[in-house]
Amino acid sequence: MQRAALELIADQGYDRTTVAEIAASAGLTERTFFRYFADKREVLFAGQERFIGMVVDALIAAPPDLAPLEAIISAFGATTAWFDERRALARSRQGAIDAHPDLQERELAKVAKLSAAMTQALRDRGASEPQAALAAAAGVAAFRFGFAQWLADEDGHDLESHILSAVEDLRKVTAV
């Protein structure tokens, strides 16, 4: 359904694309669409819960001696192949989000949910509240910056290399 939605949105715009059209394009009924998604916006965020779960699982499984930010970097590294397999879809999805303020707002809510889940996982690993929250926020910032660079990369570098580059830039701007 996400592919169908993105194709329709690319052709006719987000506002002019209906749930009925998305469902029909995917070979489903509108009723089936609403079994999976609360509204039209959510179809573009399919997989977000899976991604958050993958990050949290990888964060929990990271070696216990890693500092909070290092554990986050490790966790993101464990999930990047999932994105690399979906690069074209990710570009289309991000284009739709960037073009519509309503979708940008939903994206920010999803990012906040990721940060909160990572903060809790870091606390579960023994990090203090301030360290867990700060590391999660920094990790999300590096991920988002790396993700944007990855989407714009015409040379085909993988997402992990862009995240690592963003983390290195983060280290440079925070060096005292």
Side-chain angles (χ1 to χ4, degrees), residues 148-161:
Q149 298 301 310
W150 172 72
L151 289 177
D153 180 2
E154 296 298 328
D155 294 328
H157 296 101
D158 64 8
L159 177 56
E160 185 172 17
S161 66

Side-chain angles (χ1 to χ4, degrees), residues 9-170:
I9 290 167
D11 288 343
Q12 58 196 38
Y14 176 78
D15 290 325
R16 292 190 312 270
T17 300
T18 67
V19 167
E21 291 170 322
I22 294 168
S25 181
L28 303 168
T29 65
E30 195 171 343
R31 184 176 178 165
T32 301
F33 177 93
F34 285 115
R35 281 190 201 136
Y36 293 97
F37 306 106
D39 58 35
K40 178 173 71 170
R41 292 174 297 183
E42 281 305 306
V43 72
L44 297 179
F45 297 95
Q48 192 76 16
E49 294 300 321
R50 181 175 175 214
F51 170 64
I52 291 171
M54 288 170 34
V55 170
V56 167
D57 289 347
L59 187 51
I60 290 167
D65 60 326
L66 291 181
L69 184 58
E70 298 306 315
I72 288 173
I73 295 164
S74 173
F76 281 140
T79 65
T80 57
W82 186 71
F83 282 100
D84 287 330
E85 296 168 1
R86 294 163 178 76
R87 188 181 213 139
L89 185 67
R91 278 185 175 144
S92 296
R93 178 188 168 277
Q94 195 62 48
I97 291 169
D98 290 346
H100 203 281
D102 212 25
L103 297 175
Q104 293 168 19
E105 182 179 330
R106 184 66 61 101
E107 174 82 348
L108 289 174
K110 297 293 184 174
V111 168
K113 191 172 184 177
L114 170 63
S115 184
M118 291 188 326
T119 298
Q120 183 59 53
L122 288 171
R123 275 193 243 122
D124 292 347
R125 287 174 53 91
S128 69
E129 173 60 30
Q131 288 179 352
L134 187 57
V140 165
F143 177 83
R144 291 186 75 203
F145 186 79
F147 188 80
Q149 298 301 310
W150 172 72
L151 289 177
D153 180 2
E154 296 298 328
D155 294 328
H157 296 101
D158 64 8
L159 177 56
E160 185 172 17
S161 66
H162 286 286
I163 293 171
L164 292 174
S165 177
V167 169
E168 189 57 36
D169 287 340
L170 178 63

